[in-house]
Amino acid sequence: MPAALYYIHDPLAPEPNRPSRFGAAAVLYAEGKVLLEHRRDTYKWGIVSSDIKDTESFKDCAVRSILSETGIAVAADALHELQLFDDPSRIVSFSEGNIYRIVHFSYYVLFDRIPATVCGSGSLELRWVDPADLDDYDIVVTHQDILEAFFRERHICHTMHTYSQEEQ
């Protein structure tokens, strides 16, 4: 069983029993492909994301998480602001019983060429994926809306379905 279940717009989602969690998420894009990570916590695919530390800005959090999850070093000025994702229905439920509302500030990074990556400890695999092939990947529901916003912002065609009711 996965360690975490993610929900959005799901009437069957559990109610949070802990304070909200804040973090940053980043879409990495190069040569017409988006970087996905096969996450250990859900066994699903997602984008780079992490909880913010008390000593960090959202940008600092994004830079740190990109480096720790992919091995790619980016400067803060390479981050393009995308959007705040603060819908109260964005929920994560952990197997030990802690349930949180999650809030992400999202960014994107555009690379001229696909950079070399190193898989971080929270990932099973990293893969550069053509947006037309996203339906072949089971993407964490709380990352689907971030990807959608990125594709709208950059006018990129894709075939990703969105919002399965419950992430299992």
Side-chain angles (χ1 to χ4, degrees):
M1 178 169 181
L5 300 174
Y6 291 82
Y7 305 83
I8 189 167
H9 305 300
D10 187 342
L12 302 177
E15 289 292 320
N17 60 14
R18 310 294 296 165
S20 296
R21 291 174 79 160
F22 296 86
V27 178
L28 306 182
Y29 191 77
E31 297 181 22
K33 296 182 179 183
V34 64
L35 183 64
L36 294 182
E37 66 168 325
H38 195 190
R39 298 170 54 99
R40 274 189 203 283
D41 64 349
T42 66
Y43 308 115
K44 294 184 179 286
W45 293 87
I47 59 174
V48 172
S49 66
S50 184
D51 291 339
I52 195 167
K53 295 181 179 181
D54 290 338
T55 57
E56 292 179 317
S57 67
F58 283 104
K59 270 193 172 185
D60 293 338
C61 178
V63 166
R64 175 184 51 79
S65 63
I66 292 168
L67 181 60
S68 68
E69 294 179 30
T70 71
I72 302 170
V74 297
D77 62 0
L79 297 172
H80 301 275
E81 292 183 2
L82 185 59
Q83 184 177 326
L84 175 67
F85 290 86
D86 62 349
D87 185 314
S89 73
R90 297 169 60 84
I91 304 293
V92 59
S93 173
F94 290 99
S95 57
E96 79 277 356
N98 291 329
I99 305 166
Y100 302 88
R101 172 187 175 198
I102 51 176
V103 177
H104 283 113
F105 194 89
S106 63
Y107 300 90
Y108 64 92
V109 181
L110 304 174
F111 298 96
D112 293 331
R113 291 181 292 171
I114 292 177
T117 57
V118 176
C119 194
S121 62
S123 303
L124 300 168
E125 178 184 357
L126 297 171
R127 188 177 295 171
W128 291 93
V129 176
D130 187 308
D133 297 330
L134 287 173
D135 268 348
D136 296 338
Y137 294 83
D138 192 5
I139 297 174
V140 175
V141 70
T142 54
H143 290 188
Q144 292 175 10
D145 54 350
I146 298 170
L147 283 166
E148 284 286 342
F150 170 72
F151 296 140
R152 274 193 311 274
E153 170 88 10
R154 302 299 302 172
H155 308 287
I156 297 169
C157 294
H158 64 88
T159 61
M160 182 177 66
H161 71 284
T162 56
Y163 301 133
S164 59
Q165 280 300 311
E166 182 180 304
E167 289 290 297
Q168 302 245 18

